[in-house]
Amino acid sequence: MSTDLLQLDVDTLFEQHSVSEIDAVQKKIQTVVENKREELRTMVGERYRDLLKAADTIAAMQASAGTLIEQVHCIQGNCRSLNEQQLLGFKTTPTETEVLLHKRAVSKQLTNYYSTMVQIKLLSSLPELIWTHLDQEEFYAATELFIFSRHISTGLQLDAKNTLMQRLPVAQKQWEILRPFHITIKQAVLGVLEREQLSADMAVDCLLSLLLLEKCDLGQVLQTFLHLRSTAYFNCLQSQSSEGEKDKPRRVKERILASLHILNGTIELLDTCLLADGLLFKRLAECVAPTAAPSINRMDSSDRELAHLLPDIIAGYKPQFEAPKLLPAQLCDALQQWMSKIDSLADKHLQPIFGLVSSMQTIQDIKLAAGSTAKRDYAQLEQQLALPQAQLDFYKLKYMPLINARIREIIRSSWVEAMQQAYDEVVTLAENSSPPAPLQIWREQSDDLPLSLAAALSDQPKRLANRTKGYDAPTITLCAQFDAQLAAIVQELDVLLQEQTARSEDKLALINFLRETAEQQMTSYLTQLKALRLTERQALLQALRNTLALVELCPHLKLCFCQSSSWRQWVGNQTAAGAEHWQRLCALIEEELMQFWQLVVDDILATHSCADKLPQTITHDVVLRDFALWQTQTLEQRDEEHDQSVQSTIRIPCQPRLSLQTYLHQLIEVLNIAVPQTLPSKVLQAFNQKLLGQLLTHYEHLSAAESTKSSQNIALQLYFDLKFLERVFGVNREERSLYEQFHVLQRSLRDCIDPFDFELFAEHITTHVSRATARLHGELGVLTPPQDNTPAANASSLSHEADPNMLCLSSSGSTSLWFPLLPIVMPQAASTTTFPVERKPPATEADKAATTPTRKPGARRSDASSKSKSSAASFFGMSQEWFR
């Protein structure tokens, strides 16, 4: 086992040794500890005994020294007495002059003694007095007392060879106590000049203290002052807590206003203190005036009572200043250097602080607080200093641009956030879209109609009108949230526009920026929406409905373009320009959404193509199954040769092919499932254009078939279908290309019909086409344009007009009806439905009985029905055309 107990490892000891060995180690350690304790007690006892012995020796030496001194004093007394006795016969009487000189010497020595004592007393009193003035922030008084103490100490040190001074080393030690006050006073003065709040009197007191303490010229003091004010500006921008309360967090508004106050206050201090006849020069004149009190007067009253014991150079001491000179050019150069430094600090630190401002109300408070401070005209000061005009207006030069930039950033960021949230919600709704129930939109609900007139006239969304446009509850909620965010932006901007001190140019610039931001964000939204490349039909419909809803159900979006009445006093003649921008945005949205509608239309027509739904060749089976109704017409002609009447029968189609009707009804069902509300006119026009293009291609293929050329009846039915399609879809000359295609195809089919027969058929075909159009127009109302054949281009908007009359919900406007009532058809004789054949010989009597009589146009109506319709029309405020 190792004998070095200090190097023992406890873990190793317990692992490698037995219990008995461990006990032996413990006993050995205890023995060593006891030995050490005994040695310590012995050593302490010996040293304590030596100390007691030394103390006794010192006490004995003190008693011996006292006895020796006393004996020496006795020897001196005996010697003096012996000397007087030995020289008694040799003494002479001193003269009066000698006595006077002796008295003067004794008096001078005594005065010197008292003067030295008083000066030492002053030096001992000065530290406490200087600290008192420093605590009271009387820096010039503290500096004057420090200079006074240095003056006293210098005089005493010059008299250091004097016997009295050699016996009094306390004077030199007291100066060692007073010497650090030079740095203490200077640091206190510099700290005060770095404060945010600095009065003119305090600034002058600090500047006088620096002039007296450093013995420098006024230019250097000015440089120091401006440097400290820039440091105060930097500290104000960087400080996160209040100056008086270090633990209290400092608001951004307070930091901005405090920094502005520092800049304006610095200019005010320069103007008040350092320009001609400034407060600093007045105080300097008072300090160097002959009537100025000496520095001894700043001492306590007990010390001032001993002033007669001091020499005149001490009692009458006053601080001395060199004649201060500060040229305007020197002040201008220093001020320009300071402003360049402030510019660099503002660029680095002021702009990030403005970035922390999050609301318009805070900006409004900053502007009001900055405007409420007394504004002075710096023109005279700038003229004196030969500075550029408006160089000293820091609020206008540095703060207003940052305020305007922050206002624009808040508007832009708020718009970006609102638009991004709306876009995300639109994407979510588009991804989670599902086919709506067709009857859900038209099903009446209890909360559709307003419960009161006030609710009807309010700005609340009209639920029934919104449901007819396909705007479901999530879409309305999305628009409400988006409009609320825009309302907050408009409201915050309105707070700034109501400010009376702001210029009209700035207000107009803010209004234009709001419009430009809104236009930019809406354009970006459309770009993002297009970048999704939606292909699913329901997703496309949901996206375009939501986008249209943002325009229709968000009134504050329009306010961003077409300003409210309270803003127009600043907009002036640019109100029309705002409306033009709004129309341009609506046109852009309509154009972009039209592409979405085109995708929906293409998808519907691709899924339900006429090439798949209509027969491509006309056979006998197709004729029996597809040519549904032909009407037999009896014609009477006079045979001049036999002088008798000849009757002949012709058969004319009365309605389009059943496959064509079925195909059109299938398209209507698909549209009702995909878009369970009326299509916008422009979309319907595009849908019809593509549909008619496919149908014309189909009929062109049929007209070129041999079966059509060989059968006059097939050609006649196809000709009837084309005339029906042209009439029911309102194809006119304005649609030149489509119109020409129809007539070219009709001419090709007419060439397949006998000209003489076609002359007989033409008038009847036209009549039957008109009847079929009137009869089927109501059933095909989703596809067909209004009955008045108004071009769809006149109603080119994708958004439906707001119609307050609930009776006209099926209309796209006040004049055009989407779903007109079915026409009134007079009863007529039963038509014969047969397979069309060629012309027959003269008809029999039975055929005459089956002949359909010709009815004159214009059915007579009873007076009672006219009166009832007239009264109903007057009650609902509608024309009688509505009941036809």
mmCIF file of all heavy atoms in Angstrom, residues 42-82:
data_model
loop_
_atom_site.group_PDB
_atom_site.id
_atom_site.type_symbol
_atom_site.label_atom_id
_atom_site.label_comp_id
_atom_site.label_asym_id
_atom_site.label_seq_id
_atom_site.Cartn_x
_atom_site.Cartn_y
_atom_site.Cartn_z
ATOM 1 N N THR A 42 1.046 24.240 18.758
ATOM 2 C CA THR A 42 2.375 24.634 19.254
ATOM 3 C C THR A 42 2.878 25.876 18.533
ATOM 4 O O THR A 42 3.391 26.823 19.142
ATOM 5 C CB THR A 42 3.361 23.485 19.055
ATOM 6 O OG1 THR A 42 2.855 22.312 19.711
ATOM 7 C CG2 THR A 42 4.723 23.831 19.611
ATOM 8 N N MET A 43 2.732 25.916 17.200
ATOM 9 C CA MET A 43 3.212 27.050 16.416
ATOM 10 C C MET A 43 2.457 28.315 16.785
ATOM 11 O O MET A 43 3.045 29.392 16.960
ATOM 12 C CB MET A 43 3.053 26.743 14.925
ATOM 13 C CG MET A 43 3.567 27.849 14.022
ATOM 14 S SD MET A 43 3.416 27.430 12.281
ATOM 15 C CE MET A 43 1.645 27.281 12.158
ATOM 16 N N VAL A 44 1.105 28.248 16.909
ATOM 17 C CA VAL A 44 0.303 29.429 17.266
ATOM 18 C C VAL A 44 0.667 29.904 18.666
ATOM 19 O O VAL A 44 0.796 31.117 18.933
ATOM 20 C CB VAL A 44 -1.199 29.090 17.170
ATOM 21 C CG1 VAL A 44 -2.029 30.220 17.743
ATOM 22 C CG2 VAL A 44 -1.581 28.828 15.718
ATOM 23 N N GLY A 45 0.896 29.002 19.618
ATOM 24 C CA GLY A 45 1.268 29.424 20.969
ATOM 25 C C GLY A 45 2.599 30.142 20.995
ATOM 26 O O GLY A 45 2.750 31.157 21.682
ATOM 27 N N GLU A 46 3.576 29.672 20.239
ATOM 28 C CA GLU A 46 4.891 30.317 20.211
ATOM 29 C C GLU A 46 4.789 31.724 19.610
ATOM 30 O O GLU A 46 5.385 32.676 20.127
ATOM 31 C CB GLU A 46 5.864 29.456 19.415
ATOM 32 C CG GLU A 46 6.232 28.139 20.096
ATOM 33 C CD GLU A 46 7.145 27.297 19.238
ATOM 34 O OE1 GLU A 46 7.382 27.737 18.079
ATOM 35 O OE2 GLU A 46 7.604 26.235 19.695
ATOM 36 N N ARG A 47 4.042 31.878 18.533
ATOM 37 C CA ARG A 47 3.917 33.209 17.911
ATOM 38 C C ARG A 47 3.161 34.163 18.817
ATOM 39 O O ARG A 47 3.481 35.350 18.898
ATOM 40 C CB ARG A 47 3.217 33.079 16.559
ATOM 41 C CG ARG A 47 4.073 32.351 15.516
ATOM 42 C CD ARG A 47 3.429 32.406 14.149
ATOM 43 N NE ARG A 47 4.262 31.726 13.164
ATOM 44 C CZ ARG A 47 3.980 31.645 11.859
ATOM 45 N NH1 ARG A 47 2.847 32.194 11.422
ATOM 46 N NH2 ARG A 47 4.796 31.024 11.033
ATOM 47 N N TYR A 48 2.141 33.693 19.464
ATOM 48 C CA TYR A 48 1.388 34.555 20.367
ATOM 49 C C TYR A 48 2.265 35.009 21.539
ATOM 50 O O TYR A 48 2.218 36.163 21.954
ATOM 51 C CB TYR A 48 0.166 33.789 20.878
ATOM 52 C CG TYR A 48 -0.719 34.616 21.798
ATOM 53 C CD1 TYR A 48 -1.472 35.678 21.282
ATOM 54 C CD2 TYR A 48 -0.793 34.335 23.162
ATOM 55 C CE1 TYR A 48 -2.284 36.418 22.114
ATOM 56 C CE2 TYR A 48 -1.601 35.081 23.991
ATOM 57 C CZ TYR A 48 -2.344 36.134 23.474
ATOM 58 O OH TYR A 48 -3.133 36.877 24.300
ATOM 59 N N ARG A 49 3.139 34.111 22.012
ATOM 60 C CA ARG A 49 4.065 34.462 23.095
ATOM 61 C C ARG A 49 5.062 35.528 22.623
ATOM 62 O O ARG A 49 5.376 36.480 23.346
ATOM 63 C CB ARG A 49 4.809 33.199 23.556
ATOM 64 C CG ARG A 49 5.727 33.439 24.764
ATOM 65 C CD ARG A 49 6.297 32.120 25.308
ATOM 66 N NE ARG A 49 7.084 31.403 24.341
ATOM 67 C CZ ARG A 49 6.697 30.305 23.726
ATOM 68 N NH1 ARG A 49 5.524 29.754 24.004
ATOM 69 N NH2 ARG A 49 7.463 29.705 22.821
ATOM 70 N N ASP A 50 5.533 35.412 21.393
ATOM 71 C CA ASP A 50 6.438 36.433 20.848
ATOM 72 C C ASP A 50 5.751 37.779 20.737
ATOM 73 O O ASP A 50 6.359 38.830 21.013
ATOM 74 C CB ASP A 50 6.932 35.994 19.464
ATOM 75 C CG ASP A 50 7.822 34.747 19.551
ATOM 76 O OD1 ASP A 50 8.327 34.469 20.661
ATOM 77 O OD2 ASP A 50 7.963 34.055 18.508
ATOM 78 N N LEU A 51 4.456 37.772 20.306
ATOM 79 C CA LEU A 51 3.719 39.043 20.208
ATOM 80 C C LEU A 51 3.559 39.698 21.578
ATOM 81 O O LEU A 51 3.701 40.929 21.700
ATOM 82 C CB LEU A 51 2.347 38.785 19.578
ATOM 83 C CG LEU A 51 2.336 38.452 18.088
ATOM 84 C CD1 LEU A 51 0.918 38.115 17.620
ATOM 85 C CD2 LEU A 51 2.889 39.602 17.266
ATOM 86 N N LEU A 52 3.245 38.933 22.587
ATOM 87 C CA LEU A 52 3.089 39.507 23.931
ATOM 88 C C LEU A 52 4.422 40.084 24.430
ATOM 89 O O LEU A 52 4.474 41.175 25.029
ATOM 90 C CB LEU A 52 2.599 38.424 24.903
ATOM 91 C CG LEU A 52 1.152 37.932 24.680
ATOM 92 C CD1 LEU A 52 0.825 36.818 25.683
ATOM 93 C CD2 LEU A 52 0.172 39.079 24.845
ATOM 94 N N LYS A 53 5.501 39.373 24.153
ATOM 95 C CA LYS A 53 6.820 39.844 24.556
ATOM 96 C C LYS A 53 7.188 41.137 23.834
ATOM 97 O O LYS A 53 7.722 42.090 24.452
ATOM 98 C CB LYS A 53 7.854 38.758 24.262
ATOM 99 C CG LYS A 53 9.256 39.091 24.777
ATOM 100 C CD LYS A 53 10.200 37.923 24.529
ATOM 101 C CE LYS A 53 11.606 38.250 25.036
ATOM 102 N NZ LYS A 53 12.554 37.125 24.812
ATOM 103 N N ALA A 54 6.863 41.207 22.531
ATOM 104 C CA ALA A 54 7.149 42.427 21.783
ATOM 105 C C ALA A 54 6.316 43.580 22.290
ATOM 106 O O ALA A 54 6.783 44.733 22.381
ATOM 107 C CB ALA A 54 6.873 42.187 20.287
ATOM 108 N N ALA A 55 5.082 43.329 22.662
ATOM 109 C CA ALA A 55 4.228 44.397 23.187
ATOM 110 C C ALA A 55 4.772 44.914 24.519
ATOM 111 O O ALA A 55 4.798 46.137 24.759
ATOM 112 C CB ALA A 55 2.793 43.875 23.342
ATOM 113 N N ASP A 56 5.208 44.049 25.358
ATOM 114 C CA ASP A 56 5.780 44.497 26.638
ATOM 115 C C ASP A 56 7.040 45.312 26.400
ATOM 116 O O ASP A 56 7.297 46.340 27.090
ATOM 117 C CB ASP A 56 6.092 43.280 27.524
ATOM 118 C CG ASP A 56 4.825 42.548 27.935
ATOM 119 O OD1 ASP A 56 3.731 43.187 27.873
ATOM 120 O OD2 ASP A 56 4.892 41.350 28.270
ATOM 121 N N THR A 57 7.845 44.880 25.457
ATOM 122 C CA THR A 57 9.086 45.611 25.152
ATOM 123 C C THR A 57 8.754 47.009 24.632
ATOM 124 O O THR A 57 9.408 48.000 25.021
ATOM 125 C CB THR A 57 9.897 44.842 24.094
ATOM 126 O OG1 THR A 57 10.137 43.514 24.580
ATOM 127 C CG2 THR A 57 11.200 45.547 23.805
ATOM 128 N N ILE A 58 7.766 47.128 23.788
ATOM 129 C CA ILE A 58 7.366 48.455 23.232
ATOM 130 C C ILE A 58 6.879 49.349 24.365
ATOM 131 O O ILE A 58 7.187 50.562 24.400
ATOM 132 C CB ILE A 58 6.292 48.265 22.146
ATOM 133 C CG1 ILE A 58 6.910 47.587 20.908
ATOM 134 C CG2 ILE A 58 5.684 49.597 21.732
ATOM 135 C CD1 ILE A 58 5.901 47.179 19.878
ATOM 136 N N ALA A 59 6.057 48.817 25.250
ATOM 137 C CA ALA A 59 5.566 49.630 26.376
ATOM 138 C C ALA A 59 6.731 50.106 27.250
ATOM 139 O O ALA A 59 6.758 51.279 27.675
ATOM 140 C CB ALA A 59 4.569 48.804 27.198
ATOM 141 N N ALA A 60 7.708 49.242 27.489
ATOM 142 C CA ALA A 60 8.869 49.652 28.290
ATOM 143 C C ALA A 60 9.668 50.715 27.578
ATOM 144 O O ALA A 60 10.140 51.693 28.193
ATOM 145 C CB ALA A 60 9.739 48.432 28.584
ATOM 146 N N MET A 61 9.833 50.564 26.254
ATOM 147 C CA MET A 61 10.574 51.562 25.479
ATOM 148 C C MET A 61 9.840 52.898 25.488
ATOM 149 O O MET A 61 10.472 53.970 25.552
ATOM 150 C CB MET A 61 10.738 51.082 24.026
ATOM 151 C CG MET A 61 11.690 49.879 23.888
ATOM 152 S SD MET A 61 11.713 49.240 22.200
ATOM 153 C CE MET A 61 12.406 50.647 21.377
ATOM 154 N N GLN A 62 8.506 52.875 25.447
ATOM 155 C CA GLN A 62 7.741 54.120 25.494
ATOM 156 C C GLN A 62 7.942 54.826 26.831
ATOM 157 O O GLN A 62 8.124 56.054 26.887
ATOM 158 C CB GLN A 62 6.249 53.816 25.269
ATOM 159 C CG GLN A 62 5.376 55.078 25.202
ATOM 160 C CD GLN A 62 3.915 54.747 24.960
ATOM 161 O OE1 GLN A 62 3.541 53.566 24.965
ATOM 162 N NE2 GLN A 62 3.117 55.767 24.735
ATOM 163 N N ALA A 63 7.910 54.077 27.901
ATOM 164 C CA ALA A 63 8.135 54.692 29.235
ATOM 165 C C ALA A 63 9.546 55.253 29.339
ATOM 166 O O ALA A 63 9.755 56.368 29.845
ATOM 167 C CB ALA A 63 7.885 53.652 30.317
ATOM 168 N N SER A 64 10.538 54.516 28.803
ATOM 169 C CA SER A 64 11.932 54.996 28.851
ATOM 170 C C SER A 64 12.087 56.254 28.020
ATOM 171 O O SER A 64 12.772 57.223 28.430
ATOM 172 C CB SER A 64 12.864 53.906 28.326
ATOM 173 O OG SER A 64 12.757 52.739 29.103
ATOM 174 N N ALA A 65 11.465 56.284 26.822
ATOM 175 C CA ALA A 65 11.562 57.471 25.971
ATOM 176 C C ALA A 65 10.921 58.669 26.648
ATOM 177 O O ALA A 65 11.436 59.794 26.584
ATOM 178 C CB ALA A 65 10.888 57.188 24.606
ATOM 179 N N GLY A 66 9.786 58.475 27.317
ATOM 180 C CA GLY A 66 9.128 59.586 28.013
ATOM 181 C C GLY A 66 10.007 60.127 29.136
ATOM 182 O O GLY A 66 10.127 61.361 29.307
ATOM 183 N N THR A 67 10.650 59.230 29.890
ATOM 184 C CA THR A 67 11.539 59.665 30.977
ATOM 185 C C THR A 67 12.726 60.421 30.406
ATOM 186 O O THR A 67 13.148 61.467 30.953
ATOM 187 C CB THR A 67 12.038 58.456 31.783
ATOM 188 O OG1 THR A 67 10.894 57.717 32.249
ATOM 189 C CG2 THR A 67 12.890 58.883 32.942
ATOM 190 N N LEU A 68 13.280 59.936 29.300
ATOM 191 C CA LEU A 68 14.429 60.586 28.673
ATOM 192 C C LEU A 68 14.061 61.982 28.178
ATOM 193 O O LEU A 68 14.819 62.950 28.344
ATOM 194 C CB LEU A 68 14.934 59.722 27.510
ATOM 195 C CG LEU A 68 16.131 60.259 26.738
ATOM 196 C CD1 LEU A 68 17.337 60.427 27.683
ATOM 197 C CD2 LEU A 68 16.475 59.335 25.587
ATOM 198 N N ILE A 69 12.904 62.127 27.574
ATOM 199 C CA ILE A 69 12.472 63.447 27.081
ATOM 200 C C ILE A 69 12.285 64.412 28.233
ATOM 201 O O ILE A 69 12.671 65.594 28.150
ATOM 202 C CB ILE A 69 11.178 63.283 26.266
ATOM 203 C CG1 ILE A 69 11.434 62.510 24.949
ATOM 204 C CG2 ILE A 69 10.560 64.626 25.922
ATOM 205 C CD1 ILE A 69 10.185 62.133 24.187
ATOM 206 N N GLU A 70 11.694 63.933 29.282
ATOM 207 C CA GLU A 70 11.487 64.802 30.443
ATOM 208 C C GLU A 70 12.835 65.268 31.022
ATOM 209 O O GLU A 70 13.009 66.455 31.394
ATOM 210 C CB GLU A 70 10.704 64.038 31.502
ATOM 211 C CG GLU A 70 10.344 64.906 32.708
ATOM 212 C CD GLU A 70 9.532 64.143 33.729
ATOM 213 O OE1 GLU A 70 9.199 62.947 33.447
ATOM 214 O OE2 GLU A 70 9.199 64.713 34.785
ATOM 215 N N GLN A 71 13.809 64.380 31.079
ATOM 216 C CA GLN A 71 15.130 64.749 31.587
ATOM 217 C C GLN A 71 15.818 65.738 30.648
ATOM 218 O O GLN A 71 16.490 66.691 31.117
ATOM 219 C CB GLN A 71 15.988 63.482 31.742
ATOM 220 C CG GLN A 71 15.509 62.547 32.839
ATOM 221 C CD GLN A 71 16.320 61.257 32.914
ATOM 222 O OE1 GLN A 71 17.235 61.056 32.093
ATOM 223 N NE2 GLN A 71 16.006 60.416 33.913
ATOM 224 N N VAL A 72 15.640 65.555 29.354
ATOM 225 C CA VAL A 72 16.223 66.506 28.399
ATOM 226 C C VAL A 72 15.620 67.882 28.601
ATOM 227 O O VAL A 72 16.320 68.920 28.549
ATOM 228 C CB VAL A 72 16.025 66.000 26.970
ATOM 229 C CG1 VAL A 72 16.394 67.078 25.962
ATOM 230 C CG2 VAL A 72 16.859 64.754 26.710
ATOM 231 N N HIS A 73 14.321 67.984 28.809
ATOM 232 C CA HIS A 73 13.657 69.272 29.040
ATOM 233 C C HIS A 73 14.213 69.934 30.316
ATOM 234 O O HIS A 73 14.405 71.170 30.347
ATOM 235 C CB HIS A 73 12.148 69.068 29.152
ATOM 236 C CG HIS A 73 11.498 68.763 27.817
ATOM 237 N ND1 HIS A 73 10.196 68.329 27.717
ATOM 238 C CD2 HIS A 73 11.964 68.832 26.536
ATOM 239 C CE1 HIS A 73 9.902 68.153 26.449
ATOM 240 N NE2 HIS A 73 10.992 68.440 25.717
ATOM 241 N N CYS A 74 14.449 69.104 31.331
ATOM 242 C CA CYS A 74 15.036 69.666 32.584
ATOM 243 C C CYS A 74 16.438 70.217 32.341
ATOM 244 O O CYS A 74 16.807 71.299 32.843
ATOM 245 C CB CYS A 74 15.070 68.600 33.681
ATOM 246 S SG CYS A 74 13.422 68.127 34.238
ATOM 247 N N ILE A 75 17.225 69.488 31.544
ATOM 248 C CA ILE A 75 18.588 69.951 31.231
ATOM 249 C C ILE A 75 18.507 71.263 30.466
ATOM 250 O O ILE A 75 19.295 72.202 30.727
ATOM 251 C CB ILE A 75 19.325 68.874 30.423
ATOM 252 C CG1 ILE A 75 19.580 67.629 31.311
ATOM 253 C CG2 ILE A 75 20.628 69.401 29.863
ATOM 254 C CD1 ILE A 75 20.152 66.458 30.575
ATOM 255 N N GLN A 76 17.582 71.385 29.495
ATOM 256 C CA GLN A 76 17.462 72.623 28.730
ATOM 257 C C GLN A 76 17.083 73.784 29.643
ATOM 258 O O GLN A 76 17.604 74.897 29.501
ATOM 259 C CB GLN A 76 16.399 72.444 27.618
ATOM 260 C CG GLN A 76 16.837 71.540 26.470
ATOM 261 C CD GLN A 76 15.737 71.359 25.417
ATOM 262 O OE1 GLN A 76 14.610 71.761 25.654
ATOM 263 N NE2 GLN A 76 16.100 70.727 24.288
ATOM 264 N N GLY A 77 16.198 73.535 30.574
ATOM 265 C CA GLY A 77 15.802 74.614 31.500
ATOM 266 C C GLY A 77 16.974 75.039 32.395
ATOM 267 O O GLY A 77 17.172 76.249 32.605
ATOM 268 N N ASN A 78 17.706 74.087 32.851
ATOM 269 C CA ASN A 78 18.854 74.430 33.713
ATOM 270 C C ASN A 78 19.901 75.205 32.926
ATOM 271 O O ASN A 78 20.494 76.181 33.433
ATOM 272 C CB ASN A 78 19.465 73.158 34.303
ATOM 273 C CG ASN A 78 18.491 72.477 35.280
ATOM 274 O OD1 ASN A 78 17.657 73.150 35.891
ATOM 275 N ND2 ASN A 78 18.599 71.156 35.415
ATOM 276 N N CYS A 79 20.155 74.784 31.692
ATOM 277 C CA CYS A 79 21.142 75.485 30.862
ATOM 278 C C CYS A 79 20.692 76.903 30.577
ATOM 279 O O CYS A 79 21.489 77.854 30.567
ATOM 280 C CB CYS A 79 21.384 74.728 29.564
ATOM 281 S SG CYS A 79 22.239 73.162 29.782
ATOM 282 N N ARG A 80 19.421 77.107 30.278
ATOM 283 C CA ARG A 80 18.911 78.450 29.986
ATOM 284 C C ARG A 80 19.036 79.342 31.233
ATOM 285 O O ARG A 80 19.441 80.513 31.141
ATOM 286 C CB ARG A 80 17.454 78.362 29.534
ATOM 287 C CG ARG A 80 16.921 79.682 29.044
ATOM 288 C CD ARG A 80 15.480 79.529 28.593
ATOM 289 N NE ARG A 80 15.360 78.609 27.461
ATOM 290 C CZ ARG A 80 14.827 77.416 27.543
ATOM 291 N NH1 ARG A 80 14.356 76.980 28.709
ATOM 292 N NH2 ARG A 80 14.787 76.635 26.482
ATOM 293 N N SER A 81 18.738 78.767 32.377
ATOM 294 C CA SER A 81 18.837 79.548 33.628
ATOM 295 C C SER A 81 20.295 79.903 33.923
ATOM 296 O O SER A 81 20.614 81.033 34.320
ATOM 297 C CB SER A 81 18.231 78.739 34.784
ATOM 298 O OG SER A 81 18.399 79.416 36.007
ATOM 299 N N LEU A 82 21.208 78.956 33.706
ATOM 300 C CA LEU A 82 22.627 79.192 33.948
ATOM 301 C C LEU A 82 23.166 80.241 32.998
ATOM 302 O O LEU A 82 23.964 81.105 33.385
ATOM 303 C CB LEU A 82 23.408 77.874 33.790
ATOM 304 C CG LEU A 82 24.914 77.930 34.000
ATOM 305 C CD1 LEU A 82 25.230 78.426 35.429
ATOM 306 C CD2 LEU A 82 25.531 76.571 33.755
#
